[in-house]
Amino acid sequence: MNYLPGSALLLALLAAGCQSDTNATKATAAASPAAEAAAPKSQPAILFFGDSITAGLGVEPDQAYPALIEQRVDSLHLPYTVVNAGLSGETTAGGRSRINWVLSRQPVGVFVLELGGNDGLRGLPLADTRKNLQAIIDTVRQKAPQAKIVLAGMQIPPNMGPAYAADFKKLYAETAAKNKLTLIPFLLENVGGIAKLNQRDGIHPTPEGHKLVARTVWRTLQPIL
């Protein structure tokens, strides 16, 4: 499934989406440490580490998919706390630079890695994306060896060329296989490219879209938990 159809209009929307991510970074960065610091220390965390999709850009905090996962966890009385460490505008390089700080905030039982979308939309070298994802995975295994790691796959439109888009998609499956991680093949399954499930930028899910994302994530998380 393609994320979005390629077109000149789409390219403009993607550029606008990246800009909105950048503009939201400071606000999200200010909010994230407080949320992470407030997480109970007595229970291991399901830690969502990602960009604006995880952060819930454009929706209320309780409408973002990590919050919906938290509702399921709480309803089943599972012994986990949920931490949303999403940061709007985040690239894999940015995630690599802050992973140590995030892991120091609480014990981690499950680590959900959702990064790379902004790398792809900006046409960054995929070799660097691979290296950064690998460095994040290595750090998690060093700092939280008990944590189970879930990698959320992403896809991009072919505006950077079909070869780039295909290689971008493959890097998630290859990284998961190399590290023996649990893979969500495409985080935005049944959401990406569907106008009514995305905000006006065509990138970020609406509340209804986040419900479907949460369903996709839960399908992978439930057996682990």
Side-chain angles (χ1 to χ4, degrees):
M1 172 180 177
N2 289 328
Y3 178 32
L4 288 171
S7 67
L9 175 59
L10 172 62
L11 188 58
L13 288 174
L14 291 175
C18 289
Q19 184 61 42
S20 68
D21 279 355
T22 303
N23 292 340
T25 299
K26 291 183 180 179
T28 310
S32 293
E36 292 163 12
K41 304 294 185 179
S42 59
Q43 292 182 329
I46 303 170
L47 197 154
F48 290 91
F49 190 71
D51 54 33
S52 57
I53 294 175
T54 292
L57 184 69
V59 302
E60 295 298 322
D62 62 356
Q63 295 174 326
Y65 81 86
L68 301 179
I69 295 295
E70 182 177 25
Q71 293 173 18
R72 292 191 183 229
V73 168
D74 290 346
S75 69
L76 294 172
H77 306 290
L78 297 174
Y80 295 93
T81 186
V82 173
V83 174
N84 186 343
L87 182 63
S88 290
E90 189 76 295
T91 60
T92 56
R96 181 176 182 174
S97 70
R98 72 182 175 105
I99 183 60
N100 279 296
W101 185 88
V102 171
L103 292 175
S104 72
R105 308 304 295 173
Q106 64 282 305
V108 178
V110 180
F111 184 87
V112 182
L113 176 56
E114 180 272 306
L115 281 176
N118 285 321
D119 294 40
L121 292 178
R122 297 167 188 178
L124 300 181
L126 295 184
D128 292 346
T129 300
R130 286 179 183 272
K131 290 177 183 178
N132 292 330
L133 288 174
Q134 187 62 54
I136 292 169
I137 292 164
D138 291 344
T139 300
V140 174
R141 286 190 161 155
Q142 178 185 5
K143 302 290 185 179
Q146 75 287 350
K148 298 174 182 177
I149 304 176
V150 176
L151 180 62
M154 292 297 293
Q155 298 177 27
I156 59 170
N159 296 79
M160 300 297 175
Y164 183 91
D167 288 345
F168 179 86
K169 179 181 177 180
K170 286 193 302 183
L171 77 83
Y172 289 95
E174 291 169 353
T175 299
K178 175 183 176 180
N179 293 279
K180 296 181 172 59
L181 309 181
T182 300
L183 176 68
I184 300 172
F186 182 34
L187 182 69
L188 299 178
E189 179 184 349
N190 298 322
V191 176
I194 301 176
K196 67 180 181 180
L197 296 175
N198 288 275
Q199 298 172 46
R200 294 180 67 180
D201 61 14
I203 299 172
H204 298 95
T206 62
E208 286 302 312
H210 273 281
K211 289 179 182 178
L212 293 179
V213 175
R215 185 181 302 173
T216 296
V217 173
W218 184 249
R219 193 164 59 234
T220 297
L221 280 184
Q222 187 176 24
I224 294 175
L225 302 180

